[in-house]
Amino acid sequence: MAKEFNVPPVVFPSGGNPGPQQRRLPTAPFQPSKASTPSIPFMSFDIGSAAASTSFSTPQYASATIGSGGGGGGGGGGSTGFEDEPPLLEELGINTKQIYQKTLSILNPFRVKAYLHEDADLSGPCLFLMAFGLFQLLAGKLHFGILLGWVIMASSFLYVVFNMLAGRNGDLDLYRCVSLIGYCMLPIVILSAISLFLPGGMAINVVAGVFVLWSTRVCTKLLVELASCGDEHHGLIAYACFLIYMFFSLLVIF
């Protein structure tokens, strides 16, 4: 049996098929008013007028010169601000001339210039420790951590020993103690460089003993002259310094 479906008839508004004259034309897209924001060209949708009216001028920068000569009316010349800036190393507190002079004073153990070490710093000691570690690395020994730890322990040990011996009159601070021990590491650094070319045995032991005595004499001389009440306990201070630099020499030998 055929099943019938009830389909409603299609009814057009005019009663027939729509003709060409009855078709709805598409409307134009929305266009905002051109006179709404005439002073802002980039807000206008008229590309031609915006491109014609927009003009970009070259940016003007202020002069980087700083006038010199007080409140004059522009009579004096100006100088750039970068020329008046101090060097970068000076801003970081690194005085290369002072480090060079201190290094030369350590090289002569019989004429130690203690006044050069009155202004303590850690730039030179850090440089010597890095050089010592690099020479040890060339010898196949990785001692960077040991060097840093032993310098801290040795400085604390010497600081406590000296102030206990001097009593209330002791004026040696820990910062200066670290600076003096670090600068007096220079003979040990030279020893580590020489040990790369020396054979082991008695020769390296004798050379190491000479360099240890060198560092001990210089460090003791500086401590006695820069810190008060050091003359009374010269021998004990020298023994403490000898133990410190003996450990560094053992790192080079073994």
Side-chain angles (χ1 to χ4, degrees):
M1 294 178 63
K3 189 173 182 180
E4 296 181 359
F5 296 93
N6 296 325
V7 180
V10 179
V11 180
F12 295 96
S14 58
N17 294 330
Q21 68 279 5
Q22 296 179 355
R23 293 179 181 176
R24 182 178 297 178
L25 297 177
T27 58
F30 172 75
Q31 295 182 358
S33 176
K34 298 180 181 179
S36 58
T37 56
S39 61
I40 307 177
F42 58 84
M43 292 295 294
S44 175
F45 288 87
D46 193 353
I47 300 177
S49 62
S53 61
T54 304
S55 61
F56 297 96
S57 60
T58 305
Q60 301 293 332
Y61 297 99
S63 176
T65 59
I66 303 175
S68 60
S79 60
T80 59
F82 294 102
E83 294 180 357
D84 299 333
E85 290 289 334
L88 179 59
L89 293 178
E90 186 177 346
E91 289 186 353
L92 295 176
I94 302 175
N95 192 344
T96 54
K97 183 179 179 180
Q98 187 180 25
I99 295 174
Y100 176 73
Q101 293 176 351
K102 289 181 178 181
T103 304
L104 291 181
S105 68
I106 299 296
L107 290 176
N108 190 356
F110 300 102
R111 296 184 61 183
V112 182
K113 300 178 181 179
Y115 65 91
L116 294 175
H117 297 267
E118 291 180 355
D119 187 13
D121 69 280
L122 295 182
S123 304
C126 290
L127 181 63
F128 293 156
L129 286 176
M130 289 295 296
F132 185 40
L134 288 176
F135 285 129
Q136 290 295 97
L137 188 62
L138 291 176
K141 305 172 185 177
L142 188 60
H143 287 160
F144 287 100
I146 298 176
L147 292 177
L148 182 59
W150 178 246
V151 166
I152 295 174
M153 291 183 61
S155 302
S156 303
F157 167 72
L158 189 60
Y159 167 75
V160 172
V161 169
F162 185 89
N163 286 280
M164 287 179 65
L165 293 174
R168 297 181 179 180
N169 298 324
D171 58 348
L172 179 65
D173 56 320
L174 186 59
Y175 184 76
R176 175 173 291 181
C177 190
V178 175
S179 177
L180 293 179
I181 290 178
Y183 272 106
C184 295
M185 277 284 299
L186 180 60
I188 307 299
V189 175
I190 300 175
L191 172 65
S192 64
I194 295 177
S195 65
L196 298 175
F197 308 98
L198 288 178
M202 185 60 65
I204 187 64
N205 293 334
V206 173
V207 174
V210 172
F211 281 94
V212 168
L213 293 177
W214 181 1
S215 296
T216 302
R217 175 180 173 80
V218 175
C219 187
T220 305
K221 186 71 173 178
L222 291 176
L223 283 172
V224 169
E225 293 191 9
L226 293 178
S228 59
C229 301
D231 295 329
E232 303 175 2
H233 311 283
H234 189 279
L236 294 176
I237 296 173
Y239 179 68
C241 295
F242 177 78
L243 293 178
I244 292 173
Y245 294 109
M246 177 59 72
F247 177 81
F248 286 117
S249 65
L250 292 178
L251 293 178
V252 177
I253 296 173
F254 299 105

